Amino acid sequence: MDKLKRVLSGRDAEEPSGLAEVIDATSLGWGTRVKGFIACFAIGCLCSILGSCLLWIPKKGLVLFAVFYTLGNIASIGSTMFLMGPVKQLKRMFEPTRLIATIVMLVSI
């Protein structure tokens, strides 16, 4: 409450904490977030499609499929972190209503 009073009265002369400086320095603008999301999602889709195509190669096809399909899934999931941030993404993934689905998906990968 005291901090709110200081801010409203214009007397907030506190030094920003180190964590606040890091957050301000590393935050991305909305346009950059959307570009990162699109790029990461496209790479994820490309890897998944490539993995599916490589499935039909004799002998090593199954291994290549597993590697590329897994990388594609990880990239696609990681792409949403650009939009909402990694901490918020992880908090939402492990909410009680989504916990079972998250565990099944991570074990499947």
Side-chain angles (χ1 to χ4, degrees), residues 3-107:
K3 185 174 181 175
L4 179 62
K5 288 179 185 177
R6 281 194 310 262
V7 169
L8 293 176
S9 66
R11 293 181 296 162
D12 190 19
E14 289 183 23
E15 290 289 322
S17 67
L19 181 61
E21 290 178 9
V22 170
I23 290 172
D24 289 339
T26 59
S27 64
L28 300 174
W30 183 249
T32 308
R33 288 176 184 262
V34 171
K35 289 175 188 173
F37 166 75
I38 291 170
C40 202
F41 188 74
I43 290 169
C45 289
L46 182 68
C47 284
S48 295
I49 291 169
L50 183 62
S52 297
C53 292
L54 293 174
L55 180 62
W56 307 109
I57 293 177
K59 295 184 182 178
K60 295 197 181 221
L62 194 57
V63 173
L64 291 172
F65 166 76
V67 169
F68 279 102
Y69 198 75
T70 301
L71 289 175
N73 282 331
I74 291 171
S76 294
I77 292 168
S79 69
T80 59
M81 290 187 185
F82 279 101
L83 296 178
M84 63 175 46
V87 175
K88 191 173 181 181
Q89 170 80 15
L90 291 173
K91 283 182 181 177
R92 286 198 175 172
M93 283 175 64
F94 289 100
E95 285 178 352
T97 56
R98 297 180 177 146
L99 185 61
I100 295 173
T102 300
I103 291 171
V104 169
M105 186 264 313
L106 291 175
V107 168

